[in-house]
Amino acid sequence: MWERFSFYGMQGILLLYMYFSVSDGGLGIDREIATGIVGAYGGSVYLATILGAWLADRILGSERVLFYSAIVIMAGHIALAVLPNVWGLGVGLVLVALGSGGLKANATAVVGTLYAAKDPRRDAGFSLFYLGINLGAFLGPLITGWLQDNVGFHWGFGAAALGMAIGLTQYSFGRKNLPPASRVVANPLPRNRYAAAAGIGLAGIAVVVLGVVTGVIQPANLAGIVIVVTLAAAIAYFIVIIGSQHITAVDRSRVFGFIPLFIVNVGFWSLYQQQFTVLTVYSDERLDRTIFGWTMPISWVNSINPVFVIILSGVFAAIWTKLGDRAPSAPTKFGLGAIIMGIAFLLFLPFSGGGENSTPLIAIVGILLVFTIAELFISPPGLSVTTKLAPERFHTQMVSLYFLSVALGTAIAGWLAQFYNPDDEVPYFTILGLIAIALGIALILSVKPVLALMKGVR
């Protein structure tokens, strides 16, 4: 809960901090560049899950990576709170991205070790875990947004650091009671390969530093670089898995069946993650945030979605349980999720072209309800179907592939935001909405051949 509190609390004010003028407490970065940085940062979080999973599987085990990652996250929020200007922004975002990737990759694994596979409390435990995630996502933007609005951005970042410190303190007392399975290193890296692994890591850091120093990597093209790197990693993963001699023909067919789901998932997240880019700008320039004479902080809009997730996730779980084998297949759910996400973007059209404060708050609440419905069609089934389709030998790599689709979509969300023009909104919302709907329809029309490739997995 506290990690999500700090993550979404910081994310709620991050874009504003970058593009608000210096006189308003911001950095005065061009808004198009700022949205690209937010997208690149979000994509990097999901890219870092691969590193976090590797460290857990090969060197430290999930529980230790979880604990150390939380410390790195707190350090990142402290950097944002106390270090000045762009350097503070850069150091803070790198640390939070690395830490969040490590924590995200391993928190679920640690919760899984608390229960035996057939323990009847297992689902209830994960429900509490999911509730904690969404409570943190709800409370974070409320508190950091209020602080940013009343005393300044750095107080908001400081609150995110404090939240992480509270979580770490509580966790440090309880971690000794976690089962030994949470500390198991599944596939230990031989000691004689530590030096080679460290060398590869240092070489990667050197390439990034060289890119920054020479100007190849700069804020204006950061989202594009993350997109290219993520796409290359995804293609490499697919080639390695499909080309492996250690999987059966059925396994190979299932991996091919995952490709259409991967593509639609990228499209979905490239729209959904614009809550932190375009929707933030929209809330600043278009949304009427006045309630009985009081003006709501911009970032509070980011707390609407978690409320709907908390309310509706149980409803969707009950519906799928009730339907049983009659529930839509995973490709159908993905297709419907993409279509509903496209419809959510088209719902902006009746309010397009309005002036300042022209969009009523209730309209954004309704649109975010549609965002949430789309999310619940795609996000919860996503990891589930990925694990079902994964060849046994490549289970972790397939999960990494799923996260790469989210990383790619998130980075694209930041890149797309540069084309958003508050003075000419209709083309933006129309084109992206129709593309998402077309992707969803194409997948639904292809359900039979996709299910044939999935070889019995629904």
Side-chain angles (χ1 to χ4, degrees), residues 162-427:
L162 179 62
M164 201 65 239
I166 293 170
L168 260 171
T169 302
Q170 175 267 323
Y171 180 74
S172 64
F173 285 113
R175 64 189 293 242
K176 63 180 179 294
N177 297 318
L178 291 170
S182 66
R183 300 178 187 88
V184 169
V185 181
N187 183 19
L189 185 71
R191 286 281 178 180
N192 60 5
R193 292 175 59 186
Y194 272 38
I200 292 171
L202 290 172
I205 294 171
V207 169
V208 173
V209 171
L210 185 63
V212 172
V213 171
T214 58
V216 174
I217 300 174
Q218 49 187 284
N221 66 5
L222 203 54
I225 289 172
V226 173
I227 289 169
V228 170
V229 170
T230 308
L231 185 59
I235 292 171
Y237 261 121
F238 273 116
I239 291 173
V240 168
I241 297 172
I242 291 171
S244 173
Q245 296 179 350
H246 301 287
I247 66 173
T248 66
V250 170
D251 287 333
R252 188 169 289 108
S253 179
R254 286 175 174 170
V255 177
F256 276 116
F258 179 68
I259 293 175
L261 304 184
F262 180 95
I263 293 169
V264 171
N265 208 39
V266 170
F268 168 79
W269 288 102
S270 68
L271 269 64
Y272 181 84
Q273 293 289 62
Q274 292 190 41
Q275 287 183 76
F276 304 107
T277 54
V278 168
L279 186 57
T280 299
V281 176
Y282 191 94
S283 301
D284 181 20
E285 300 204 2
R286 286 282 181 270
L287 187 60
D288 182 3
R289 294 176 284 108
T290 303
I291 305 170
F292 301 116
W294 170 76
T295 302
M296 182 183 84
I298 298 167
S299 68
W300 282 26
V301 172
N302 294 131
S303 289
I304 296 171
N305 172 253
V307 174
F308 286 135
V309 172
I310 292 170
I311 294 170
L312 293 178
S313 56
V315 175
F316 269 73
I319 291 171
W320 302 144
T321 303
K322 181 76 173 175
L323 289 173
D325 292 338
R326 294 178 292 114
S329 64
T332 302
K333 288 178 182 175
F334 271 60
L336 290 172
I339 290 170
I340 296 168
M341 193 66 238
I343 291 171
F345 260 54
L346 296 182
L347 290 176
F348 281 99
L349 294 178
F351 309 100
S352 295
E356 187 177 347
N357 301 327
S358 61
T359 302
L361 181 59
I362 190 66
I364 290 299
V365 171
I367 290 171
L368 286 173
L369 171 60
V370 182
F371 268 57
T372 306
I373 293 170
E375 175 190 3
L376 292 172
F377 267 99
I378 275 193
S379 187
L383 269 176
S384 175
V385 73
T386 302
T387 55
K388 291 176 186 176
L389 293 171
E392 187 174 343
R393 192 181 182 94
F394 291 96
H395 189 272
T396 304
Q397 284 90 331
M398 281 287 284
V399 172
S400 297
L401 262 176
Y402 174 81
F403 281 124
L404 282 175
S405 72
V406 182
L408 188 54
T410 303
I412 291 172
W415 177 77
L416 285 172
Q418 68 180 302
F419 302 107
Y420 171 67
N421 179 3
D423 298 322
D424 188 20
E425 299 168 317
V426 172

